[in-house]
Amino acid sequence: MGDTTQNHTLEQIFGAAIAGQKAVAVWRLPLSQKVQACMQLGQQYTTGQPQLEASPFGFFFCPFQVSAQEQNIFIKGDLYFDGEKLAPAADAPEKQLQEFYTLLQAPPSINGWHTSANLENHTFQTEQGFMRAVEKAVEAIQAEQMEKVVLSRNSLQALPENFSPVAAFQAMADAYPRAFVSLVSVPGVGTWMGASPEILVSINEQQEFHTVALAGTQTAVENVADAIWRQKEIEEQAMVERYILSCFKKLRLREYTEVGPKTIKAGNLMHLRTDFKVNLKVVHFPTLGTDMLELLHPTSAVCGLPKEPALQFILAHEGYNRSYYSGYLGPVNSTSGSHLYVNLRCMQLQQHEANLYAGAGITEGSNPQREWQETQHKMQTMGKILSEY
């Protein structure tokens, strides 16, 4: 049975995973047409700190901060879908494999998805609360307690009637060709969807390590060459760059290429981005992916600088639980390598509503009303999918 491949649609596979209480991850890499998915047949999903190089093929889904409620999740690739065929791993458990194939033959049930066991713990940040937190953050930055902090919030939006996560995933993939598009559904943990513009750690099949400094936000213009950036955004992006360089320094890594900053489009927004790459065939650093992951997360683009006071400020003043928003996710040791992205421009599916998330980088020059508007714009990435569905 180990080498059996079968033709099935993504709807059938996702539906069978939900019906069988299995964890499933669906993704599409930036500038790719290929939709991929993997499923785990067993029930043990939680894991410790990810070790990328030693990991079997699968999909990591990790929170902003590990807690008793939100833990690092690893979906082992017992079954892999390459966009056309579904194939089992050599070590996939035979009995559960047969049970899953039986579920695949059944007519797909309603458009269901796994929901979180912790929904009653969800809190929401009000406009007034968010703007007050921004004011406090500016005061703390002026008092030199930190240089920058990222404050975020969430908002509920009703799901359209007959909502289908798979159809919404395909709409996201069409709307955001340059983003990492994902749909992750885990029993007890819930279902998250997103279109992230930000690489955290990537190692491709050519053994090239890649990370980015991404910061600064404004509404997209037709031609990126016409973008004009304020000092606030330029400084914010430079902070993220400096943080990545400080991580390289800690690891005594000197051989890397740096390109940027340049203006990039991400849906209806533009950001400043600098790319950092390391050729692992030339530089002998076998654990660079795992080491950088530990140093980078949470990045200054989702937390702040210096990291510790910014994190403490977030926990004290943000006023709600980020859960898996601004954590990271992506496939590891797949045929195209390991690609972990920051979980931005995302939403969590509840039974009848979607919980949308967005954040803004606060520096000394921040204006509370303007930062609120920035989170509104960022929520449109997912809001657009729900409204045009």
Side-chain angles (χ1 to χ4, degrees):
M1 191 77 202
D3 61 356
T4 302
T5 58
Q6 307 217 1
N7 283 312
H8 294 287
T9 65
L10 188 56
E11 285 89 349
Q12 286 174 313
I13 292 163
F14 188 84
I18 303 306
Q21 286 294 301
K22 307 298 182 195
V24 56
V26 185
W27 69 94
R28 194 226 52 205
L29 294 171
L31 300 174
S32 167
Q33 297 295 313
K34 188 176 178 180
V35 171
Q36 302 174 73
C38 72
M39 276 131 293
Q40 179 174 320
L41 296 171
Q43 300 294 323
Q44 174 50 40
Y45 314 115
T46 58
T47 185
Q49 175 65 27
Q51 303 294 312
L52 304 191
E53 297 78 18
S55 172
F57 163 59
F59 193 97
F60 277 111
F61 185 60
C62 301
F64 173 63
Q65 271 222 302
V66 173
S67 67
Q69 277 77 38
E70 282 99 13
Q71 299 195 40
N72 290 336
I73 301 294
F74 179 64
I75 301 170
K76 183 182 172 297
D78 288 325
L79 279 157
Y80 169 64
F81 177 65
D82 67 359
E84 293 178 6
K85 287 192 164 61
L86 182 66
D91 61 349
E94 187 64 38
K95 181 171 177 288
Q96 286 152 310
L97 194 58
Q98 292 300 340
E99 287 168 358
F100 189 80
Y101 283 143
T102 303
L103 281 171
L104 272 174
Q105 304 313 319
S109 56
I110 51 155
N111 288 315
W113 51 89
H114 300 311
T115 52
S116 168
N118 304 316
L119 279 184
E120 66 280 2
N121 300 337
H122 278 215
T123 49
F124 294 87
Q125 175 61 287
T126 62
E127 181 175 358
Q128 193 180 5
F130 178 84
M131 298 220 293
R132 182 73 194 109
V134 172
E135 285 168 11
K136 285 182 182 171
V138 171
E139 285 165 18
I141 292 164
Q142 286 169 343
E144 298 186 348
Q145 293 167 18
M146 55 191 174
E147 285 182 75
K148 168 194 170 178
V149 65
V150 178
L151 292 176
S152 68
R153 66 181 187 89
N154 56 351
S155 173
L156 278 181
Q157 191 166 325
L159 287 174
E161 222 174 306
N162 300 320
F163 179 77
S164 157
V166 172
F169 169 86
Q170 284 161 338
M172 283 195 309
D174 291 341
Y176 307 116
R178 294 175 176 276
F180 173 74
V181 179
S182 61
L183 163 60
V184 182
S185 195
V186 181
V189 175
T191 299
W192 289 70
M193 307 184 68
S196 175
E198 186 171 348
I199 296 168
L200 181 59
V201 164
S202 169
I203 299 170
N204 66 16
E205 55 270 67
Q206 282 83 41
Q207 284 298 291
E208 185 178 55
F209 169 90
H210 186 192
T211 190
V212 302
L214 186 83
T217 302
Q218 62 172 291
T219 306
V221 293
E222 194 60 42
N223 184 356
V224 292
D226 297 333
I228 297 167
W229 293 97
R230 293 180 303 152
Q231 190 63 24
K232 184 247 178 196
E233 283 110 5
I234 292 166
E235 283 174 4
E236 195 187 334
Q237 206 270 342
M239 286 179 196
V240 183
E241 275 187 33
R242 288 200 300 274
Y243 183 70
I244 290 173
L245 292 172
S246 75
C247 293
F248 284 164
K249 201 171 177 181
K250 274 183 192 161
L251 297 174
R252 296 192 170 89
L253 177 74
R254 294 182 185 88
E255 296 172 67
Y256 57 84
T257 61
E258 177 181 348
V259 178
K262 60 187 176 189
T263 303
I264 61 126
K265 261 188 192 178
N268 59 328
L269 300 171
M270 295 186 300
H271 307 286
L272 284 167
R273 171 170 139 171
T274 302
D275 291 77
F276 296 89
K277 293 184 178 181
V278 179
N279 185 339
L280 295 175
K281 286 178 183 169
V282 175
V283 180
H284 183 68
F285 209 129
T287 60
L288 184 62
T290 294
D291 293 346
M292 281 298 284
L293 183 63
E294 284 192 49
L295 288 172
L296 285 173
H297 179 71
T299 70
S300 46
V302 298
C303 181
L305 277 173
K307 188 186 282 192
E308 207 40 53
L311 180 59
Q312 292 314 313
F313 187 92
I314 288 167
L315 298 177
H317 299 285
E318 200 165 57
Y320 85 111
N321 175 16
R322 287 188 183 191
S323 186
Y324 287 86
Y325 163 69
S326 71
Y328 58 90
L329 74 170
V332 286
N333 294 322
S334 71
T335 50
S336 52
S338 298
H339 304 281
L340 298 178
Y341 282 74
V342 183
N343 195 19
L344 301 174
R345 315 290 192 274
C346 62
M347 60 183 172
Q348 181 180 18
L349 301 184
Q350 301 182 8
Q351 208 62 60
H352 304 290
E353 295 164 310
N355 195 353
L356 280 61
Y357 296 80
I362 312 305
T363 60
E364 197 170 356
S366 286
N367 169 289
Q369 187 63 51
R370 203 165 184 155
E371 303 300 349
W372 173 264
Q373 275 312 121
E374 183 174 315
T375 62
Q376 293 280 72
H377 287 313
K378 286 175 176 173
M379 283 184 182
Q380 274 311 300
T381 303
M382 290 295 101
K384 181 171 179 270
I385 297 299
L386 293 176
S387 64
E388 293 180 5
Y389 181 77

